[in-house]
Structure formats: C-alpha cells, structure tokens
Amino acid sequence: MALTPVTLTGRHVELVPLAHYHAPALAEAVQDGELWRLWYTAIPAPETMAAEIERRLGLRDLGTMLPFTVLDGPGGRPVGMTTYMNIDAAGPRVEIGSTWYAARVQRTHLNTEAKRLLLGHAFEALGCLAVEFRTHVLNQASRRAIERLGARLDGILRHHQRLADGSLRDTCVYSIVAPDWPTVRTHLTWQLAKPR
C-alpha cells in the first residue's frame, strides 16, 4: 500500500493535502463552535493551529499519518481537518480520525461525502481490509455520526489514553471491513442524494 498525498474531490467537499499555508483559515474555521473547548476531544485551539499542522506533517513524513484539509466544496474555504492515521501498510488498514469541522458544516452533505471519498479511496485504491474509527466513549455526537456511516462497534478500550486534563479516556473502536464496503457505499450514495 503506497500512501502518498492525494486530492479527493466531490460535489460538496474537497480533501486536499494539509499545508502550512492553511493555518490562518483553519484557525478561523475552528472558532465556529469553539470546538477545542470540548473536554473529550483533542481539537486544536486557534493559537495552536500552526503547531498542530506541523505535528501532523511530521507524522506524515514518518509514514504514520496522511493529513487532509477539508474544503467546503471544490476550491472552497478550509472548514476542517481529517486524516488517515494508525496506518498499517502490511494489513493494509487505516483509521480515519483526528477529524474536526466548523460547526456550520457538521451534519451536512460535506461530512457524508468526505467519508464517502476517504472510504472509497481506502477500499478501492489502497486495497484496505478494514477502515477503523475511534472516539471517546462520551462523545455521543461522534459515535452517532460514525454509526450513521454504517460502521460497527468492535469494542471499547478501557483506560486507553490519558487526556490533557489528566482524565482517562475509554475509546470506542468502530470499523467497516472490505465486504461491508459495497453496502456502505450504496448507503452513503443514497444519503448524499436525499434532501436534508
């Protein structure tokens, strides 16, 4: 599996390789909803956006992450970030994670299409056996969004991580496996076609 930077383009969203010059627009986008204030997430604050981009690009250079900037339509404005992470090239398998969106685009066609593009690339271009999603057990909005995609709960990792505030995170692990992909793809295509 060769994981190289790629642009994934749909009708409602474009995922482009993360770059340093996206920092000002992403710092503005994260303020829509003040997402960094959610204690159970690890979303960068506006003043730490440049450092977060540097961190993600460093992980890209190590081959453990492929980060994207999320644009609100082809050639649009940055409204968030997402990644392929925890890359297992031998599997092959990836996790889609470290995702956040400005509040104004949450629960819209943008997220559905972004996941459709990422999943399609993972299964159809990269030949992944499985794609994983992880979230805090108390992040109900994230859990519902993952479940709406058609992912199944594999289990909960108890005391999986220590958060910045010192609390312990129980992590819900979800996945979509390759045999599920045709049905999930049909479901996401239907979700994109129906009115909201």
Side-chain angles (χ1 to χ4, degrees), residues 2 15-16 22 31 33 38 59 69 73 80 86 119 121-122 126 128 130 157 170 181 192-193:
L15 306 174
V16 299
H22 293 140
Q31 293 179 64
L38 298 172
L59 292 171
T69 297
N86 293 322
L119 287 164
H121 187 70
L126 302 176
C128 286
L157 303 175
D170 290 350
W181 174 234
L192 288 167

mmCIF file with all atom_site columns, all heavy atoms in Angstrom, residues 2 15-16 22 31 33 38 59 69 73 80 86 119 121-122 126 128 130 157 170 181 192-193:
data_model
loop_
_atom_site.group_PDB
_atom_site.id
_atom_site.type_symbol
_atom_site.label_atom_id
_atom_site.label_alt_id
_atom_site.label_comp_id
_atom_site.label_asym_id
_atom_site.label_entity_id
_atom_site.label_seq_id
_atom_site.pdbx_PDB_ins_code
_atom_site.Cartn_x
_atom_site.Cartn_y
_atom_site.Cartn_z
_atom_site.occupancy
_atom_site.B_iso_or_equiv
_atom_site.pdbx_formal_charge
_atom_site.auth_seq_id
_atom_site.auth_comp_id
_atom_site.auth_asym_id
_atom_site.auth_atom_id
_atom_site.pdbx_PDB_model_num
ATOM 1   N N   . ALA A 1 2   ? 0.815   2.030  -1.050 1.00 0.00 ? 2   ALA A N   1
ATOM 2   C CA  . ALA A 1 2   ? 1.570   3.278  -1.129 1.00 0.00 ? 2   ALA A CA  1
ATOM 3   C C   . ALA A 1 2   ? 0.654   4.424  -0.743 1.00 0.00 ? 2   ALA A C   1
ATOM 4   O O   . ALA A 1 2   ? -0.283  4.736  -1.462 1.00 0.00 ? 2   ALA A O   1
ATOM 5   C CB  . ALA A 1 2   ? 2.112   3.470  -2.537 1.00 0.00 ? 2   ALA A CB  1
ATOM 6   N N   . LEU A 1 15  ? -10.970 17.312 -0.362 1.00 0.00 ? 15  LEU A N   1
ATOM 7   C CA  . LEU A 1 15  ? -9.938  16.992 0.617  1.00 0.00 ? 15  LEU A CA  1
ATOM 8   C C   . LEU A 1 15  ? -8.600  17.161 -0.065 1.00 0.00 ? 15  LEU A C   1
ATOM 9   O O   . LEU A 1 15  ? -8.301  16.469 -1.038 1.00 0.00 ? 15  LEU A O   1
ATOM 10  C CB  . LEU A 1 15  ? -10.113 15.556 1.112  1.00 0.00 ? 15  LEU A CB  1
ATOM 11  C CG  . LEU A 1 15  ? -11.497 15.205 1.662  1.00 0.00 ? 15  LEU A CG  1
ATOM 12  C CD1 . LEU A 1 15  ? -11.588 13.727 1.990  1.00 0.00 ? 15  LEU A CD1 1
ATOM 13  C CD2 . LEU A 1 15  ? -11.834 16.047 2.868  1.00 0.00 ? 15  LEU A CD2 1
ATOM 14  N N   . VAL A 1 16  ? -7.821  18.108 0.433  1.00 0.00 ? 16  VAL A N   1
ATOM 15  C CA  . VAL A 1 16  ? -6.527  18.415 -0.178 1.00 0.00 ? 16  VAL A CA  1
ATOM 16  C C   . VAL A 1 16  ? -5.430  18.144 0.836  1.00 0.00 ? 16  VAL A C   1
ATOM 17  O O   . VAL A 1 16  ? -5.657  18.180 2.049  1.00 0.00 ? 16  VAL A O   1
ATOM 18  C CB  . VAL A 1 16  ? -6.461  19.885 -0.663 1.00 0.00 ? 16  VAL A CB  1
ATOM 19  C CG1 . VAL A 1 16  ? -7.528  20.156 -1.721 1.00 0.00 ? 16  VAL A CG1 1
ATOM 20  C CG2 . VAL A 1 16  ? -6.595  20.860 0.491  1.00 0.00 ? 16  VAL A CG2 1
ATOM 21  N N   . HIS A 1 22  ? -2.484  26.693 5.153  1.00 0.00 ? 22  HIS A N   1
ATOM 22  C CA  . HIS A 1 22  ? -3.885  26.554 5.554  1.00 0.00 ? 22  HIS A CA  1
ATOM 23  C C   . HIS A 1 22  ? -4.127  27.062 6.985  1.00 0.00 ? 22  HIS A C   1
ATOM 24  O O   . HIS A 1 22  ? -5.277  27.197 7.403  1.00 0.00 ? 22  HIS A O   1
ATOM 25  C CB  . HIS A 1 22  ? -4.325  25.098 5.483  1.00 0.00 ? 22  HIS A CB  1
ATOM 26  C CG  . HIS A 1 22  ? -4.366  24.542 4.102  1.00 0.00 ? 22  HIS A CG  1
ATOM 27  N ND1 . HIS A 1 22  ? -3.942  23.256 3.804  1.00 0.00 ? 22  HIS A ND1 1
ATOM 28  C CD2 . HIS A 1 22  ? -4.783  25.075 2.932  1.00 0.00 ? 22  HIS A CD2 1
ATOM 29  C CE1 . HIS A 1 22  ? -4.096  23.032 2.517  1.00 0.00 ? 22  HIS A CE1 1
ATOM 30  N NE2 . HIS A 1 22  ? -4.591  24.128 1.962  1.00 0.00 ? 22  HIS A NE2 1
ATOM 31  N N   . GLN A 1 31  ? -12.921 28.301 15.183 1.00 0.00 ? 31  GLN A N   1
ATOM 32  C CA  . GLN A 1 31  ? -13.638 29.204 16.079 1.00 0.00 ? 31  GLN A CA  1
ATOM 33  C C   . GLN A 1 31  ? -15.150 29.072 15.932 1.00 0.00 ? 31  GLN A C   1
ATOM 34  O O   . GLN A 1 31  ? -15.896 29.442 16.837 1.00 0.00 ? 31  GLN A O   1
ATOM 35  C CB  . GLN A 1 31  ? -13.186 30.643 15.847 1.00 0.00 ? 31  GLN A CB  1
ATOM 36  C CG  . GLN A 1 31  ? -11.753 30.854 16.265 1.00 0.00 ? 31  GLN A CG  1
ATOM 37  C CD  . GLN A 1 31  ? -11.269 32.258 16.029 1.00 0.00 ? 31  GLN A CD  1
ATOM 38  O OE1 . GLN A 1 31  ? -11.774 33.182 16.640 1.00 0.00 ? 31  GLN A OE1 1
ATOM 39  N NE2 . GLN A 1 31  ? -10.302 32.401 15.137 1.00 0.00 ? 31  GLN A NE2 1
ATOM 40  N N   . GLY A 1 33  ? -17.952 27.381 16.586 1.00 0.00 ? 33  GLY A N   1
ATOM 41  C CA  . GLY A 1 33  ? -18.350 26.324 17.516 1.00 0.00 ? 33  GLY A CA  1
ATOM 42  C C   . GLY A 1 33  ? -17.383 26.150 18.679 1.00 0.00 ? 33  GLY A C   1
ATOM 43  O O   . GLY A 1 33  ? -17.652 25.374 19.587 1.00 0.00 ? 33  GLY A O   1
ATOM 44  N N   . LEU A 1 38  ? -14.323 21.453 23.883 1.00 0.00 ? 38  LEU A N   1
ATOM 45  C CA  . LEU A 1 38  ? -14.925 20.171 24.254 1.00 0.00 ? 38  LEU A CA  1
ATOM 46  C C   . LEU A 1 38  ? -13.866 19.334 24.971 1.00 0.00 ? 38  LEU A C   1
ATOM 47  O O   . LEU A 1 38  ? -12.857 18.950 24.380 1.00 0.00 ? 38  LEU A O   1
ATOM 48  C CB  . LEU A 1 38  ? -15.435 19.429 23.015 1.00 0.00 ? 38  LEU A CB  1
ATOM 49  C CG  . LEU A 1 38  ? -16.540 20.126 22.224 1.00 0.00 ? 38  LEU A CG  1
ATOM 50  C CD1 . LEU A 1 38  ? -16.805 19.388 20.921 1.00 0.00 ? 38  LEU A CD1 1
ATOM 51  C CD2 . LEU A 1 38  ? -17.808 20.221 23.061 1.00 0.00 ? 38  LEU A CD2 1
ATOM 52  N N   . LEU A 1 59  ? 4.165   13.604 11.306 1.00 0.00 ? 59  LEU A N   1
ATOM 53  C CA  . LEU A 1 59  ? 3.688   12.217 11.281 1.00 0.00 ? 59  LEU A CA  1
ATOM 54  C C   . LEU A 1 59  ? 3.536   11.719 9.850  1.00 0.00 ? 59  LEU A C   1
ATOM 55  O O   . LEU A 1 59  ? 3.796   10.546 9.567  1.00 0.00 ? 59  LEU A O   1
ATOM 56  C CB  . LEU A 1 59  ? 2.376   12.093 12.057 1.00 0.00 ? 59  LEU A CB  1
ATOM 57  C CG  . LEU A 1 59  ? 2.497   12.304 13.569 1.00 0.00 ? 59  LEU A CG  1
ATOM 58  C CD1 . LEU A 1 59  ? 1.117   12.367 14.212 1.00 0.00 ? 59  LEU A CD1 1
ATOM 59  C CD2 . LEU A 1 59  ? 3.345   11.219 14.205 1.00 0.00 ? 59  LEU A CD2 1
ATOM 60  N N   . THR A 1 69  ? -6.684  18.797 4.552  1.00 0.00 ? 69  THR A N   1
ATOM 61  C CA  . THR A 1 69  ? -7.509  19.955 4.867  1.00 0.00 ? 69  THR A CA  1
ATOM 62  C C   . THR A 1 69  ? -8.831  19.737 4.164  1.00 0.00 ? 69  THR A C   1
ATOM 63  O O   . THR A 1 69  ? -8.869  19.344 2.997  1.00 0.00 ? 69  THR A O   1
ATOM 64  C CB  . THR A 1 69  ? -6.850  21.259 4.377  1.00 0.00 ? 69  THR A CB  1
ATOM 65  O OG1 . THR A 1 69  ? -5.608  21.437 5.078  1.00 0.00 ? 69  THR A OG1 1
ATOM 66  C CG2 . THR A 1 69  ? -7.741  22.465 4.634  1.00 0.00 ? 69  THR A CG2 1
ATOM 67  N N   . GLY A 1 73  ? -16.347 22.431 -0.522 1.00 0.00 ? 73  GLY A N   1
ATOM 68  C CA  . GLY A 1 73  ? -16.592 22.337 -1.962 1.00 0.00 ? 73  GLY A CA  1
ATOM 69  C C   . GLY A 1 73  ? -15.281 22.460 -2.713 1.00 0.00 ? 73  GLY A C   1
ATOM 70  O O   . GLY A 1 73  ? -14.279 22.947 -2.175 1.00 0.00 ? 73  GLY A O   1
ATOM 71  N N   . GLY A 1 80  ? -12.064 22.452 8.052  1.00 0.00 ? 80  GLY A N   1
ATOM 72  C CA  . GLY A 1 80  ? -11.712 21.402 8.989  1.00 0.00 ? 80  GLY A CA  1
ATOM 73  C C   . GLY A 1 80  ? -10.510 20.596 8.549  1.00 0.00 ? 80  GLY A C   1
ATOM 74  O O   . GLY A 1 80  ? -9.845  20.933 7.555  1.00 0.00 ? 80  GLY A O   1
ATOM 75  N N   . ASN A 1 86  ? -2.811  5.847  12.079 1.00 0.00 ? 86  ASN A N   1
ATOM 76  C CA  . ASN A 1 86  ? -2.559  4.470  12.535 1.00 0.00 ? 86  ASN A CA  1
ATOM 77  C C   . ASN A 1 86  ? -2.476  3.540  11.333 1.00 0.00 ? 86  ASN A C   1
ATOM 78  O O   . ASN A 1 86  ? -3.130  2.500  11.261 1.00 0.00 ? 86  ASN A O   1
ATOM 79  C CB  . ASN A 1 86  ? -3.630  4.018  13.529 1.00 0.00 ? 86  ASN A CB  1
ATOM 80  C CG  . ASN A 1 86  ? -3.555  4.805  14.816 1.00 0.00 ? 86  ASN A CG  1
ATOM 81  O OD1 . ASN A 1 86  ? -2.466  5.127  15.303 1.00 0.00 ? 86  ASN A OD1 1
ATOM 82  N ND2 . ASN A 1 86  ? -4.699  5.145  15.369 1.00 0.00 ? 86  ASN A ND2 1
ATOM 83  N N   . LEU A 1 119 ? -13.366 6.620  2.426  1.00 0.00 ? 119 LEU A N   1
ATOM 84  C CA  . LEU A 1 119 ? -13.605 5.180  2.434  1.00 0.00 ? 119 LEU A CA  1
ATOM 85  C C   . LEU A 1 119 ? -13.390 4.585  1.044  1.00 0.00 ? 119 LEU A C   1
ATOM 86  O O   . LEU A 1 119 ? -12.776 3.531  0.906  1.00 0.00 ? 119 LEU A O   1
ATOM 87  C CB  . LEU A 1 119 ? -15.019 4.883  2.932  1.00 0.00 ? 119 LEU A CB  1
ATOM 88  C CG  . LEU A 1 119 ? -15.245 5.091  4.430  1.00 0.00 ? 119 LEU A CG  1
ATOM 89  C CD1 . LEU A 1 119 ? -16.738 5.154  4.740  1.00 0.00 ? 119 LEU A CD1 1
ATOM 90  C CD2 . LEU A 1 119 ? -14.578 3.985  5.236  1.00 0.00 ? 119 LEU A CD2 1
ATOM 91  N N   . HIS A 1 121 ? -11.463 5.683  -1.354 1.00 0.00 ? 121 HIS A N   1
ATOM 92  C CA  . HIS A 1 121 ? -10.027 5.652  -1.647 1.00 0.00 ? 121 HIS A CA  1
ATOM 93  C C   . HIS A 1 121 ? -9.357  4.511  -0.874 1.00 0.00 ? 121 HIS A C   1
ATOM 94  O O   . HIS A 1 121 ? -8.518  3.786  -1.420 1.00 0.00 ? 121 HIS A O   1
ATOM 95  C CB  . HIS A 1 121 ? -9.390  6.996  -1.314 1.00 0.00 ? 121 HIS A CB  1
ATOM 96  C CG  . HIS A 1 121 ? -7.968  7.104  -1.745 1.00 0.00 ? 121 HIS A CG  1
ATOM 97  N ND1 . HIS A 1 121 ? -7.578  7.188  -3.056 1.00 0.00 ? 121 HIS A ND1 1
ATOM 98  C CD2 . HIS A 1 121 ? -6.820  7.112  -1.011 1.00 0.00 ? 121 HIS A CD2 1
ATOM 99  C CE1 . HIS A 1 121 ? -6.263  7.257  -3.131 1.00 0.00 ? 121 HIS A CE1 1
ATOM 100 N NE2 . HIS A 1 121 ? -5.776  7.209  -1.906 1.00 0.00 ? 121 HIS A NE2 1
ATOM 101 N N   . ALA A 1 122 ? -9.735  4.346  0.400  1.00 0.00 ? 122 ALA A N   1
ATOM 102 C CA  . ALA A 1 122 ? -9.117  3.301  1.224  1.00 0.00 ? 122 ALA A CA  1
ATOM 103 C C   . ALA A 1 122 ? -9.404  1.904  0.672  1.00 0.00 ? 122 ALA A C   1
ATOM 104 O O   . ALA A 1 122 ? -8.492  1.079  0.560  1.00 0.00 ? 122 ALA A O   1
ATOM 105 C CB  . ALA A 1 122 ? -9.603  3.408  2.666  1.00 0.00 ? 122 ALA A CB  1
ATOM 106 N N   . LEU A 1 126 ? -6.480  1.804  -2.253 1.00 0.00 ? 126 LEU A N   1
ATOM 107 C CA  . LEU A 1 126 ? -5.430  1.294  -1.374 1.00 0.00 ? 126 LEU A CA  1
ATOM 108 C C   . LEU A 1 126 ? -5.597  -0.184 -1.043 1.00 0.00 ? 126 LEU A C   1
ATOM 109 O O   . LEU A 1 126 ? -4.685  -0.795 -0.500 1.00 0.00 ? 126 LEU A O   1
ATOM 110 C CB  . LEU A 1 126 ? -5.382  2.114  -0.077 1.00 0.00 ? 126 LEU A CB  1
ATOM 111 C CG  . LEU A 1 126 ? -5.138  3.616  -0.248 1.00 0.00 ? 126 LEU A CG  1
ATOM 112 C CD1 . LEU A 1 126 ? -5.205  4.317  1.100  1.00 0.00 ? 126 LEU A CD1 1
ATOM 113 C CD2 . LEU A 1 126 ? -3.800  3.873  -0.942 1.00 0.00 ? 126 LEU A CD2 1
ATOM 114 N N   . CYS A 1 128 ? -7.566  -1.629 1.236  1.00 0.00 ? 128 CYS A N   1
ATOM 115 C CA  . CYS A 1 128 ? -7.623  -1.892 2.674  1.00 0.00 ? 128 CYS A CA  1
ATOM 116 C C   . CYS A 1 128 ? -8.564  -3.046 3.001  1.00 0.00 ? 128 CYS A C   1
ATOM 117 O O   . CYS A 1 128 ? -9.613  -3.215 2.377  1.00 0.00 ? 128 CYS A O   1
ATOM 118 C CB  . CYS A 1 128 ? -8.073  -0.646 3.426  1.00 0.00 ? 128 CYS A CB  1
ATOM 119 S SG  . CYS A 1 128 ? -6.796  0.617  3.537  1.00 0.00 ? 128 CYS A SG  1
ATOM 120 N N   . ALA A 1 130 ? -9.759  -3.201 6.136  1.00 0.00 ? 130 ALA A N   1
ATOM 121 C CA  . ALA A 1 130 ? -10.668 -2.569 7.086  1.00 0.00 ? 130 ALA A CA  1
ATOM 122 C C   . ALA A 1 130 ? -10.283 -1.110 7.251  1.00 0.00 ? 130 ALA A C   1
ATOM 123 O O   . ALA A 1 130 ? -9.129  -0.736 7.074  1.00 0.00 ? 130 ALA A O   1
ATOM 124 C CB  . ALA A 1 130 ? -10.624 -3.281 8.431  1.00 0.00 ? 130 ALA A CB  1
ATOM 125 N N   . LEU A 1 157 ? -12.036 0.158  24.392 1.00 0.00 ? 157 LEU A N   1
ATOM 126 C CA  . LEU A 1 157 ? -10.740 0.033  25.054 1.00 0.00 ? 157 LEU A CA  1
ATOM 127 C C   . LEU A 1 157 ? -10.806 0.850  26.348 1.00 0.00 ? 157 LEU A C   1
ATOM 128 O O   . LEU A 1 157 ? -10.846 2.081  26.314 1.00 0.00 ? 157 LEU A O   1
ATOM 129 C CB  . LEU A 1 157 ? -9.617  0.543  24.152 1.00 0.00 ? 157 LEU A CB  1
ATOM 130 C CG  . LEU A 1 157 ? -9.487  -0.122 22.785 1.00 0.00 ? 157 LEU A CG  1
ATOM 131 C CD1 . LEU A 1 157 ? -8.409  0.559  21.957 1.00 0.00 ? 157 LEU A CD1 1
ATOM 132 C CD2 . LEU A 1 157 ? -9.189  -1.598 22.931 1.00 0.00 ? 157 LEU A CD2 1
ATOM 133 N N   . ASP A 1 170 ? -11.908 6.201  27.770 1.00 0.00 ? 170 ASP A N   1
ATOM 134 C CA  . ASP A 1 170 ? -12.334 4.917  27.244 1.00 0.00 ? 170 ASP A CA  1
ATOM 135 C C   . ASP A 1 170 ? -12.632 5.167  25.768 1.00 0.00 ? 170 ASP A C   1
ATOM 136 O O   . ASP A 1 170 ? -13.387 6.080  25.425 1.00 0.00 ? 170 ASP A O   1
ATOM 137 C CB  . ASP A 1 170 ? -13.589 4.408  27.940 1.00 0.00 ? 170 ASP A CB  1
ATOM 138 C CG  . ASP A 1 170 ? -13.341 3.977  29.383 1.00 0.00 ? 170 ASP A CG  1
ATOM 139 O OD1 . ASP A 1 170 ? -12.166 3.896  29.792 1.00 0.00 ? 170 ASP A OD1 1
ATOM 140 O OD2 . ASP A 1 170 ? -14.330 3.735  30.090 1.00 0.00 ? 170 ASP A OD2 1
ATOM 141 N N   . TRP A 1 181 ? -18.114 -2.811 2.401  1.00 0.00 ? 181 TRP A N   1
ATOM 142 C CA  . TRP A 1 181 ? -17.983 -1.584 1.624  1.00 0.00 ? 181 TRP A CA  1
ATOM 143 C C   . TRP A 1 181 ? -19.061 -1.418 0.551  1.00 0.00 ? 181 TRP A C   1
ATOM 144 O O   . TRP A 1 181 ? -19.633 -0.318 0.430  1.00 0.00 ? 181 TRP A O   1
ATOM 145 C CB  . TRP A 1 181 ? -16.579 -1.437 1.058  1.00 0.00 ? 181 TRP A CB  1
ATOM 146 C CG  . TRP A 1 181 ? -16.439 -0.266 0.124  1.00 0.00 ? 181 TRP A CG  1
ATOM 147 C CD1 . TRP A 1 181 ? -15.968 -0.287 -1.154 1.00 0.00 ? 181 TRP A CD1 1
ATOM 148 C CD2 . TRP A 1 181 ? -16.793 1.099  0.389  1.00 0.00 ? 181 TRP A CD2 1
ATOM 149 N NE1 . TRP A 1 181 ? -15.996 0.972  -1.703 1.00 0.00 ? 181 TRP A NE1 1
ATOM 150 C CE2 . TRP A 1 181 ? -16.501 1.843  -0.775 1.00 0.00 ? 181 TRP A CE2 1
ATOM 151 C CE3 . TRP A 1 181 ? -17.334 1.764  1.481  1.00 0.00 ? 181 TRP A CE3 1
ATOM 152 C CZ2 . TRP A 1 181 ? -16.731 3.217  -0.875 1.00 0.00 ? 181 TRP A CZ2 1
ATOM 153 C CZ3 . TRP A 1 181 ? -17.567 3.137  1.394  1.00 0.00 ? 181 TRP A CZ3 1
ATOM 154 C CH2 . TRP A 1 181 ? -17.264 3.842  0.233  1.00 0.00 ? 181 TRP A CH2 1
ATOM 155 N N   . LEU A 1 192 ? -26.362 10.994 0.272  1.00 0.00 ? 192 LEU A N   1
ATOM 156 C CA  . LEU A 1 192 ? -25.998 12.202 -0.456 1.00 0.00 ? 192 LEU A CA  1
ATOM 157 C C   . LEU A 1 192 ? -27.091 12.645 -1.403 1.00 0.00 ? 192 LEU A C   1
ATOM 158 O O   . LEU A 1 192 ? -27.234 13.837 -1.687 1.00 0.00 ? 192 LEU A O   1
ATOM 159 C CB  . LEU A 1 192 ? -24.685 11.980 -1.220 1.00 0.00 ? 192 LEU A CB  1
ATOM 160 C CG  . LEU A 1 192 ? -23.436 11.915 -0.367 1.00 0.00 ? 192 LEU A CG  1
ATOM 161 C CD1 . LEU A 1 192 ? -22.258 11.373 -1.155 1.00 0.00 ? 192 LEU A CD1 1
ATOM 162 C CD2 . LEU A 1 192 ? -23.113 13.292 0.215  1.00 0.00 ? 192 LEU A CD2 1
ATOM 163 N N   . ALA A 1 193 ? -27.879 11.696 -1.906 1.00 0.00 ? 193 ALA A N   1
ATOM 164 C CA  . ALA A 1 193 ? -28.920 12.025 -2.883 1.00 0.00 ? 193 ALA A CA  1
ATOM 165 C C   . ALA A 1 193 ? -30.193 12.547 -2.235 1.00 0.00 ? 193 ALA A C   1
ATOM 166 O O   . ALA A 1 193 ? -30.928 13.319 -2.852 1.00 0.00 ? 193 ALA A O   1
ATOM 167 C CB  . ALA A 1 193 ? -29.243 10.798 -3.742 1.00 0.00 ? 193 ALA A CB  1
#
